[in-house]
Amino acid sequence: MRLGVLDIGSNTGHLLVVDAHGGAAPLPAFSHKQALRLAEHLDERGAVTPAGIDALTEFCASAVRVADDKGCEDMLGFATSAVRDAVNSHEVLAHVKAVSGVDLEVLSGEDEARLTFLAVRRWFGWSAGRLAIFDIGGGSLEIAGGSDESPDVAWSLPLGAARLARTWFAGDRPDDETVRRLRREIRTEIARDAGNLLRPGPPDHAAATSKTFRSLARICGAAPSGDGALVPRVLERQTLAEWIPKLISLSADELAHLPGVSLSRTHQIVPGALVAEACMDIFDLPALEICPWALREGVILESLDQISVLGRS
């Protein structure tokens, strides 16, 4: 069957059209996306601004048209931390539904982590053993770990790259004191519940997903996306640690010329790098393998699993 998966993240709205059926990997057929930057369209109360609501609604309406044009039988729509945390979340969702017809499901942070874990587990398989995963989004960081398809532990922290950039970095380059304080806050936040993941022992395999991790891996020497999804990509802790002072010293224009960095995300690279390094330090991971599957694939896989169960009942 052909499905449309509408992912409203803190940075980007993304409709992924896939051909999928139970027992097979979802095959991407078409991609339609737009930079919404909802994490930055917030007023002083923490509400999505009218401009942000309009941009989101227009994108959802365009996603419906694209899904229809591409022959999708169904469209699964969900939103993550930017909408979830907004004080006017209900108003935003009601407006989107009334104007575009899209009924967005707001995922909890735990569900984000759980579904991302499912996707990563399916990608690497059972040979990965006890698996730990990390996902830096625009609004939040998701962490999960376990030995099965459902994680034993899964949680979300307000450490997304866009959120941190908006809160901490007002200028072009952060000063040393700002970086020091942010670094300490990130590590305190992650370490608070680190024992949940570490208590059963170190993971057999550690992986990362998301645009932020992919960009950092590319900066640190990983293969470009054009080489295909099956090429192994790794982000090494030592290499990232060596790059962070360089990243802090670069202007937005200079960051935009680095491999894997888009102009619209240059302001998120430094906070994202600090979060990534903290994850590897606190959980004592020398490297993270980059997984091309993430939350969208997890949503698809769980939906297909449910359809298969219903078909057998």
Side-chain angles (χ1 to χ4, degrees):
M1 65 185 301
R2 177 159 283 197
L3 287 173
V5 183
L6 180 59
D7 176 358
I8 303 301
S10 298
N11 283 310
T12 306
H14 190 174
L15 172 70
L16 182 65
V17 176
V18 297
D19 292 319
H21 62 271
L27 179 65
F30 190 78
S31 177
H32 169 60
K33 58 185 175 180
Q34 180 180 324
L36 299 175
R37 298 176 74 162
L38 292 179
E40 296 166 41
H41 276 292
L42 299 173
D43 64 20
E44 63 280 358
R45 299 183 301 115
V48 180
T49 63
I53 295 174
D54 287 344
L56 170 58
T57 304
E58 290 170 11
F59 176 75
C60 288
S62 72
V64 171
R65 293 191 295 271
V66 171
D68 288 346
D69 288 345
K70 298 302 177 184
C72 293
E73 296 180 40
D74 195 7
M75 186 167 76
L76 310 172
F78 63 90
T80 55
S81 66
V83 175
R84 178 174 68 236
D85 297 339
V87 299
N88 61 339
S89 175
H90 293 300
E91 175 190 334
V92 173
L93 296 170
H95 187 273
V96 169
K97 184 175 181 179
V99 177
S100 72
V102 175
D103 190 5
L104 291 172
E105 177 186 1
V106 178
L107 296 178
S108 69
E110 182 177 339
D111 277 342
E112 277 194 68
R114 178 182 61 80
L115 289 165
T116 302
F117 183 90
L118 171 63
V120 178
R121 167 62 74 192
R122 293 277 177 94
W123 180 267
F124 289 116
W126 297 112
S127 63
R130 179 169 169 78
L131 178 65
I133 67 102
F134 303 86
D135 185 327
I136 303 172
S140 59
L141 163 71
E142 275 68 52
I143 302 173
S147 300
D148 300 323
E149 288 208 327
S150 294
D152 300 328
V153 293
W155 73 100
S156 179
L157 298 169
L159 297 176
R163 184 195 295 266
L164 296 177
R166 177 175 178 268
T167 305
W168 288 82
F169 295 165
D172 189 27
R173 288 190 183 97
D175 59 63
D176 291 344
E177 176 60 17
T178 299
V179 171
R180 186 193 68 78
R181 289 191 296 113
L182 175 56
R183 183 178 186 273
R184 182 176 184 275
E185 179 160 317
I186 288 168
R187 287 165 182 255
T188 300
E189 190 79 42
I190 294 172
R192 184 173 294 119
D193 294 314
N196 293 340
L197 186 66
L198 294 172
R199 197 162 287 113
D204 300 306
H205 197 90
T209 73
S210 76
K211 174 68 172 175
T212 296
F213 271 118
R214 291 197 303 272
S215 295
L216 292 171
R218 182 75 184 96
I219 289 169
C220 292
S225 59
D227 286 1
L230 298 180
V231 175
R233 294 172 176 86
V234 173
L235 176 63
E236 295 182 347
R237 182 172 65 187
Q238 182 59 42
T239 305
L240 178 61
E242 292 168 0
W243 260 102
I244 286 177
K246 303 175 194 175
L247 297 175
I248 292 170
S249 71
L250 296 177
S251 68
D253 286 343
E254 290 169 329
L255 286 169
H257 283 88
L258 293 175
V261 180
S262 58
L263 182 61
S264 64
R265 292 185 182 240
T266 55
H267 62 303
Q268 300 181 29
I269 288 297
V270 170
L274 293 174
V275 173
E277 183 192 33
C279 289
M280 288 191 277
D281 274 350
I282 288 169
F283 294 100
D284 194 22
L285 302 169
L288 291 169
E289 186 167 1
I290 307 302
C291 179
W293 279 7
L295 178 59
R296 277 187 297 276
E297 287 77 14
V299 169
I300 295 166
L301 292 166
E302 182 170 76
S303 177
L304 291 174
D305 288 349
Q306 292 170 351
I307 291 171
S308 297
V309 169
L310 291 173
R312 292 196 299 267
S313 62

